[in-house]
Amino acid sequence: MMNGGLRYQFARLSIAEKLIAVNVLLFLLDGLSGALLGYSFSHWFHLPKDFFEFLAQPWSLVTYSFFHADFGHIFWNMLVLYFASRIFLNLFDAQRFINVYFLGLMLGGLVFLLSYNVFPTLVNSNTALIGASAGVNAVLIFVCAYIPNQEVRLIFFNIKLWYIGVALVVKDLVLIGMGDNIGGGMAHLGGAFLGYVYARQLFKGNDIGAGFTKFRNVILDLFKPKEKKAPMKTVYRKKAATKSKADYDKQAKQKRIDTILDKISKSGYESLSKEEKDFLFKAGKED
């Protein structure tokens, strides 16, 4: 029952809330692993600064974002992601959010790699990149560039989004100049740059993430179970009757959904039977 409830609750989350949930879960598991077993599995997913090490674990260009150094690191990243995503998802759908977030992560990761293999002061450093900051910055700077004059409430006063965007970029530049977290700062700027360019190009009618969407769809199709084609049969039936049956099935399904939702509103989700939970979950996936 608990499993069915968790699956249902997770399915109802927005794409950003799902990312936050996964990040928090991995943070907890990694912490428990280190505390109880004395071993952290996360180093297999960190983005190394050496190109050859990166080639041995190319998945790290994305997976580095799901691990964080400490509570403060993940807390501020997830807090900013939550509020920035609320603005973003009021404007665009989940697919575009995925494009901006993950393209920001990847560009931030590439800027980090390039920085530590080009700049003399960084070449001999021994470090790796973790944290979702590049993706978070991409989403935040995107909304700041797309609706720059939109005001948001910041504690006790209102402020335009473009002020927040400029302050964020200046902060990273200052920290880099002070020699504080240079690699992370470079990744932050890479994500911010992606968010800005994506927003400005979208104003011109160019979706620079369209190719990434197609790529993701191709990858997802590889993992979809192939449906077996049934042998073709010639069936003679009246079109009106077929349409009537389809309409009836659709109405019956909707009526049952309404009944279950009414039951939830009166008695809560846990009052549902396992059959009702499964039916509601499958109906949500089909829609």
Side-chain angles (χ1 to χ4, degrees):
M1 180 177 292
M2 178 61 71
N3 184 46
L6 288 174
R7 287 175 61 192
Y8 172 73
Q9 294 298 332
F10 186 77
R12 294 180 65 234
L13 297 177
S14 71
I15 181 60
E17 290 167 340
K18 288 177 181 176
L19 281 170
I20 292 171
V22 172
N23 272 277
V24 171
L25 177 62
L26 287 175
F27 178 76
L28 294 174
L29 290 176
D30 187 43
L32 288 173
S33 175
L36 301 179
L37 303 177
Y39 175 79
S40 174
F41 61 87
S42 64
H43 70 275
W44 292 103
F45 304 98
H46 295 181
L47 180 62
K49 66 101 176 179
D50 185 82
F51 271 118
F52 292 104
E53 289 183 36
F54 164 67
L55 292 176
Q57 51 184 72
W59 56 83
S60 62
L61 190 59
V62 172
T63 58
Y64 80 87
S65 68
F66 291 99
F67 297 89
H68 292 79
D70 51 43
F71 177 76
H73 193 196
I74 191 172
F75 175 79
W76 289 111
N77 270 343
M78 297 303 102
L79 184 67
V80 175
L81 179 60
Y82 176 75
F83 286 107
S85 68
R86 291 184 65 181
I87 302 173
F88 189 106
L89 293 172
N90 279 332
L91 300 170
F92 301 103
D93 61 12
Q95 295 304 315
R96 187 155 288 155
F97 177 88
I98 291 173
N99 287 349
V100 174
Y101 182 78
F102 283 100
L103 286 175
L105 287 175
M106 289 187 281
L107 183 58
L110 290 173
V111 171
F112 166 83
L113 275 172
L114 186 63
S115 300
Y116 274 86
N117 287 272
V118 171
F119 297 119
T121 57
L122 303 179
V123 169
N124 295 321
S125 302
N126 183 22
T127 187
L129 181 64
I130 57 173
S133 300
V136 174
N137 274 19
V139 173
L140 180 58
I141 296 300
F142 177 95
V143 296
C144 291
Y146 195 82
I147 46 174
N149 293 315
Q150 174 67 40
E151 291 189 351
V152 294
R153 190 70 174 175
L154 193 64
I155 307 177
F156 302 116
F157 56 90
N158 292 342
I159 185 172
K160 291 183 178 180
L161 280 172
W162 77 267
Y163 290 149
I164 296 176
V166 170
L168 187 69
V169 172
V170 170
K171 181 264 295 182
D172 285 322
L173 289 172
V174 169
L175 291 178
I176 291 173
M178 295 172 61
D180 186 7
N181 189 25
I182 298 176
M186 298 300 291
H188 296 176
L189 293 177
F193 178 75
L194 183 283
Y196 178 81
V197 172
Y198 202 126
R200 302 315 298 176
Q201 285 298 310
L202 206 57
F203 260 124
K204 300 176 182 178
N206 302 322
D207 184 357
I208 63 175
F212 184 59
T213 301
K214 293 178 182 177
F215 173 74
R216 286 189 291 106
N217 290 335
V218 169
I219 298 299
L220 291 174
D221 287 341
L222 294 176
F223 295 94
K224 285 183 180 178
K226 294 183 178 180
E227 297 181 0
K228 294 182 179 180
K229 293 184 179 180
M232 294 183 66
K233 295 181 180 180
T234 303
V235 180
Y236 299 95
R237 61 178 67 179
K238 293 182 180 179
K239 292 184 179 179
T242 303
K243 184 178 180 181
S244 177
K245 184 178 184 305
D247 289 342
Y248 175 79
D249 290 343
K250 187 175 180 180
Q251 291 174 2
K253 177 183 174 182
Q254 186 59 50
K255 186 175 181 181
R256 188 176 182 192
I257 292 174
D258 292 340
T259 301
I260 293 174
L261 293 177
D262 186 56
K263 185 176 179 181
I264 292 175
S265 67
K266 291 180 179 178
S267 307
Y269 179 77
E270 293 304 323
S271 67
L272 301 183
S273 66
K274 185 178 184 303
E275 180 188 1
E276 289 173 326
K277 289 179 180 178
D278 290 342
F279 175 82
L280 192 62
F281 182 74
K282 289 177 182 178
K285 288 295 184 184
E286 291 172 0
D287 294 340

